[in-house]
Every structure is written in C-alpha cells, then in structure tokens.
Amino acid sequence: SSTNQKPMYAQPGEPGIERVVRLDLKLIADVGLVGFPNVGKSTLISTVSNARPEVANYEFTTLTPKLGQINIGEFDSYIMADIPGIIGGASEGKGLGLKFLRHIERTKTLLFMIDLASYHELEYQYETLKKELQNFSPLLAERNYAIALTRADAMTPEEAVEKTEQFLKLLNVEAVKKSRFAFSEEYPVYEQESFEKAFYDNTKPAFIAPISSAINLNIKPLTYALYHMVVTERA
C-alpha cells in the first residue's frame, strides 16, 4: 500500500531515497586536433595559441585535453582543442584516445595531423584515424576536416614534396596552382574551391598542407584556413 512507500524526500529521522547524478563535462572548442601520439599536436597548439602543454620527444606527453585561443587580427578568434594521441584500437580502449575522444564530440571542425617523418605510412595513419573516429562516433566521423602533414622539417624539401604529392594522389585530389590562404608555393597544397555548404564536398578534406612548427612553415596560413572553416560552420 501507499503507506509502505518511502517518501520522495527524507523526513526528519527517516532514511531518504539515495540518488546519484553523474555529470560528464565535455570541452567546447571550434577545432579539434586528431593524430597519433608525438605527431606535433602539442607543439602546434603552443605555437599558435596561448596554451602551454608539455612538449617532449616521447609518446603520450599529453595526458589531459588542452584548449588554446587562436587570435585572428584584433577582434576575431577561435578555440583549438588538443587531446591525447589516438592509436589503432583507441575506440576499444587502447591507449588514451578513447578516454578523451568525447572532448571533441562537440567540435564542428577536425584537423587531422599526419606525420611525414613517422615510421607509420601516411595511408596507415590516415585510415586508422578515420576508422577510430567512425567506431567511436559516426557523427564525429562526419565532421568537416582538414589535414596537416606535420614535421616537414625532418627531411629535405624534395622528400617532403614527394611524400605530399603521393598523399594527394592517394586521396585522389590535385594540388592548387595558387593558394588563397598563402600556403608556401614551394610545396604542393590542396584546397577545396569553397568551404560554403553549397559547394563543399564533405567526403574530402577542406585542405591538405605540409607544415612545420619548428621552422614556422605554413603555420600562419594554416590558422587562417582553419578560421575560414570555423566561420563558415558558424554561419
């Protein structure tokens, strides 16, 4: 009967109903960095923003997500999120990626960072990142994205050009004759003609460019290109 039921709220001297509320805090950022461990994510965000993550020459230096504000001119800015590196099997709990992938679920733009100098082939890095995002969240895998080919300074310019050209061919895209974001003309760069939804092909990256935070190669153009993606998505 109703007389045997516990009240919703505890009465003086009586045990109440115990309820547990779990809060899951997710970071909010405009751009989320996605890549294997030690591909230069922390170096990039420390170069272009006010974030100061640990930077070291070993894997998983980033153990917690980091946010950085990137200023464009005097009045515009956007937020970039750096999360721990993703490895194969991250969506099943391997490494640290799964624990923190939820922090970029709310980002509208992703920057894949693929290491030109890694012992992992570029195709393997790219396909693994795409697979792990898809396995973790199909919606996250559908986000607009761009690709930065990192550590171009770790090889000769000729080698970086050759590897970039091979990667563009792998994704069946062609380098533009002139970049509208002022990416270096010494390296091949791919850009979609427009980031507007009516013209944008979301099955392909918005742009692909080799970069190096160490020698400041294509860093400023990268921030501008990402900014155009962000403002287009906001609109």
Side-chain angles (χ1 to χ4, degrees), residues 46-113:
S46 65
T47 300
V48 301
S49 77
N50 57 351
R52 293 295 176 264
E54 179 182 355
V55 177
N57 189 27
Y58 54 85
E59 296 186 347
F60 296 115
T61 53
T62 299
L63 299 177
T64 58
K66 299 292 189 300
L67 293 179
Q69 177 176 305
I70 300 174
N71 296 318
I72 303 295
E74 296 183 6
F75 305 105
D76 293 318
S77 65
Y78 59 93
I79 302 298
M80 178 180 285
D82 174 24
I83 65 169
I86 297 172
I87 62 174
S91 58
E92 300 172 354
K94 293 183 180 179
L96 300 175
L98 176 64
K99 182 177 180 181
F100 298 109
L101 273 170
R102 70 182 190 277
H103 284 293
I104 58 171
E105 280 186 290
R106 300 178 69 174
T107 61
K108 298 297 184 182
T109 301
L110 300 177
L111 179 65
F112 283 36
M113 299 186 66

Side-chain angles (χ1 to χ4, degrees), residues 129-155:
L129 294 175
K130 293 283 286 185
K131 176 184 176 181
E132 295 305 325
L133 288 180
Q134 177 67 38
N135 290 346
F136 177 77
S137 168
L139 290 177
L140 183 60
E142 293 176 359
R143 296 284 192 269
N144 294 344
Y145 71 103
I147 298 176
L149 301 176
T150 68
R151 296 212 296 160
D153 62 290
M155 60 195 67

